[in-house]
Amino acid sequence: LKLVNLYDGSANAFNSAVTVNAGATLLMASTIDSSFNAGVAITLNGGTLSHTGTGYQTLAGTVTLTADSTISVANSGASNQLFLDAALIGVNRALVINNTSSPTTGVHFRNNTGSNFSGAVTVNGGQIAIGNSANSVLSNADVTLTGSTLQLGVAAFAMTASGASLKSLNGNG
């Protein structure tokens, strides 16, 4: 499924829950900075959530992993982030985050209250950032950075962070 410019506020705003099964990809490819409201809850059941647009993408709906899954961000624009503004849920799951393009390409957890993700998170390239309202989003996760950075305690992209916690941190990021 490919969502192109079907963001909140557009005449054709997409507003449905989506399940992405193994072997499938939900591709968000907006050509402008855009967001999807809380009605767009995404369940990754072994599939891939991919953001390849030229602007940032904000998701206000919950992202739930029911199987090990992948989030990929590849962006040629200056605003190359995927902002997750709702809970990240998954128990004993593996999440791989692949970021390609620039060092600031990545996934940013901003307002993730209610998150209960546990398991392994591997970040390849780019960055992840955790903001004040998402302090515990990865507190039960074993995070491995591979050629990537973790933004904690700095103002990254209109968010502040302090007190965020991880279960463990490994890698060469």
Side-chain angles (χ1 to χ4, degrees):
L1 177 62
K2 183 176 183 179
L3 302 179
V4 179
N5 295 338
L6 298 176
Y7 49 88
D8 286 351
S10 71
N12 300 310
F14 183 79
N15 189 28
S16 297
V18 176
T19 297
V20 186
N21 290 317
T25 298
L26 174 59
L27 175 59
M28 296 183 171
S30 293
T31 56
I32 61 172
D33 298 339
S34 63
S35 63
F36 288 98
N37 68 37
V40 184
I42 298 172
T43 299
L44 294 175
N45 187 32
T48 299
L49 170 60
S50 180
H51 167 52
T52 62
T54 54
Y56 66 78
Q57 181 68 60
T58 302
L59 299 178
T62 299
V63 176
T64 301
L65 276 70
T66 56
D68 299 346
S69 300
T70 302
I71 296 176
S72 295
V73 180
N75 192 312
S76 58
S79 298
N80 45 7
Q81 294 81 33
L82 176 61
F83 295 109
L84 299 183
D85 282 358
L88 177 66
I89 298 171
V91 179
N92 297 323
R93 296 292 171 211
L95 173 62
V96 175
I97 299 174
N98 294 316
N99 300 312
T100 57
S101 293
S102 75
T104 60
T105 298
V107 176
H108 296 238
F109 301 95
R110 296 194 300 189
N111 300 310
N112 304 92
T113 56
S115 292
N116 74 345
F117 184 84
S118 66
V121 177
T122 301
V123 183
N124 299 309
Q127 66 175 281
I128 61 170
I130 300 174
N132 263 353
S133 296
N135 287 344
S136 63
V137 67
L138 299 177
S139 63
N140 293 309
D142 298 304
V143 178
T144 301
L145 303 177
T146 305
S148 55
T149 58
L150 170 63
Q151 298 284 347
L152 289 175
V154 297
F157 303 99
M159 63 184 198
T160 58
S162 63
S165 62
L166 308 171
K167 181 178 174 188
S168 69
L169 179 62
N170 298 293
N172 65 359

